[in-house]
Amino acid sequence: MRDEKTAECRVCGAGLPEAVRGRPPAYCSRSCQAKAYRRRKKAARTAVEQPPERSVSAPATAPRPPAGSARERRRREVAEAVWRIAAARGLESASMREVAAEAGVSLRVVQYYFGSKHRLLVESLRLLHEENDRRARARMAELHDAGQLRAVLRAVLVEFLPLDAQRALALRVFTAYFVRSLTDPAMAEVFLHGEQVVESLVADLIREAGGVRPGVDPAREADLLVSGVSGLGLDVLHGRRTMAEVQRTIDYHLDRIFA
């Protein structure tokens, strides 16, 4: 039995009629009932628009994405988490939940930006390619502008080596992706990063540098240099060769190509 204090409309506070049967009424009219419905709907919409909590547990509603560059920064933060996991524990450990924990965001944030684990892995690889390209172009631009094409060629080859923490991380991540790309066409398309782009660049630099020894085929030399330096970089990661030894090997082959 409702007392006199509680027998009021939840919207306008007016008195309520006595219940004839069933549950007692909560609103004095259909108009107040409609107003209450609209308030609940607005409250639910506001909850959806709240920024997500930075925790692994998924919030009840989808997060509202940052706009423009903030969105790209968030995507990069998640991709960097994939890189760290892949480099340290292998690509099979990069579940969406583990990535969310590593990035310090909720699982729903990862799901919102990437949709599925497969897309997360593919897009993270694409972002790593873009980052490596940006860094490599910046390092080689000055040499190219100075007309030192042989130095540019050497710089291209050295990019395959773990000379610093970023390049060591990249090499570990690419190695983790390699096995997956053998059975995943979408991954392979990103992993291969175009049709022998690096080999073509190396061959062009050999031709443009001048002073090539007679009988040298720039395309064949490029194939050998790129594949060889890639393997030597892995040897450096394993500790089988030192960085100095590998760079001496690169210089040896460049001396063999140029007169």
Side-chain angles (χ1 to χ4, degrees):
M1 189 96 182
R2 293 170 63 167
D3 59 29
E4 186 175 340
K5 184 177 180 180
T6 59
E8 297 178 349
C9 176
R10 295 180 182 178
V11 175
C12 67
L16 296 174
E18 292 292 332
V20 178
R21 64 178 182 274
R23 297 176 59 186
Y27 308 102
C28 65
S29 65
R30 290 184 179 275
S31 175
C32 284
Q33 185 177 8
K35 289 179 182 179
Y37 170 76
R38 288 194 293 271
R39 288 177 183 177
R40 291 195 299 271
K41 187 175 181 181
K42 181 179 179 181
R45 185 168 59 250
T46 301
V48 172
E49 294 174 351
Q50 293 301 316
E53 297 292 332
R54 292 179 69 84
S55 64
V56 179
S57 58
T61 56
R64 186 179 185 180
S69 60
R71 175 187 176 88
E72 294 307 313
R73 284 197 301 271
R74 179 61 61 82
R75 283 171 55 84
R76 180 182 172 82
E77 289 172 0
V78 175
E80 288 176 346
V82 174
W83 305 344
R84 291 192 295 272
I85 292 173
R89 291 180 277 154
L91 204 59
E92 64 278 1
S93 298
S95 68
M96 297 188 81
R97 188 171 297 276
E98 288 294 321
V99 170
E102 177 69 26
V105 300
S106 71
L107 177 60
R108 292 286 292 210
V109 168
V110 179
Q111 292 171 334
Y112 185 88
Y113 284 112
F114 296 96
S116 67
K117 178 181 177 180
H118 185 265
R119 184 180 174 192
L120 169 65
L121 297 180
V122 170
E123 289 300 310
S124 296
L125 177 59
R126 192 186 309 277
L127 289 171
L128 182 58
H129 273 310
E130 292 176 0
E131 172 68 7
N132 284 346
D133 282 350
R134 183 186 66 79
R135 288 173 177 265
R137 289 177 188 279
R139 280 189 284 261
M140 293 184 294
E142 183 176 350
L143 294 172
H144 193 279
D145 291 342
Q148 303 174 27
L149 293 184
R150 174 167 170 166
V152 174
L153 172 59
R154 189 180 189 279
V156 171
L157 298 173
V158 166
E159 283 300 313
F160 290 93
L161 304 177
L163 287 174
D164 53 32
Q166 191 276 335
R167 280 177 278 194
L169 174 72
L171 186 55
R172 287 180 178 273
V173 176
F174 286 139
T175 303
Y177 270 100
F178 174 73
V179 175
R180 181 71 66 90
S181 70
L182 295 176
T183 57
D184 187 328
M187 196 82 72
E189 183 178 353
V190 181
F191 182 81
L192 295 176
H193 197 34
E195 188 172 344
Q196 297 183 326
V197 173
V198 179
E199 289 86 346
S200 296
L201 173 61
V202 170
D204 289 342
L205 287 171
I206 291 173
R207 296 187 188 97
E208 294 171 12
V212 176
R213 292 182 183 277
V216 168
D217 185 333
R220 301 298 181 190
E221 295 294 344
D223 286 342
L224 182 62
L225 285 170
V226 172
S227 61
V229 175
S230 298
L232 291 173
L234 295 177
D235 280 353
V236 173
L237 283 182
H238 280 296
R240 295 184 64 230
R241 289 183 171 86
T242 66
M243 192 71 68
E245 290 172 341
V246 171
Q247 294 198 55
R248 283 197 295 270
T249 299
I250 292 175
D251 290 332
Y252 168 82
H253 282 285
L254 293 181
D255 289 340
R256 183 179 55 80
I257 292 172
F258 297 101

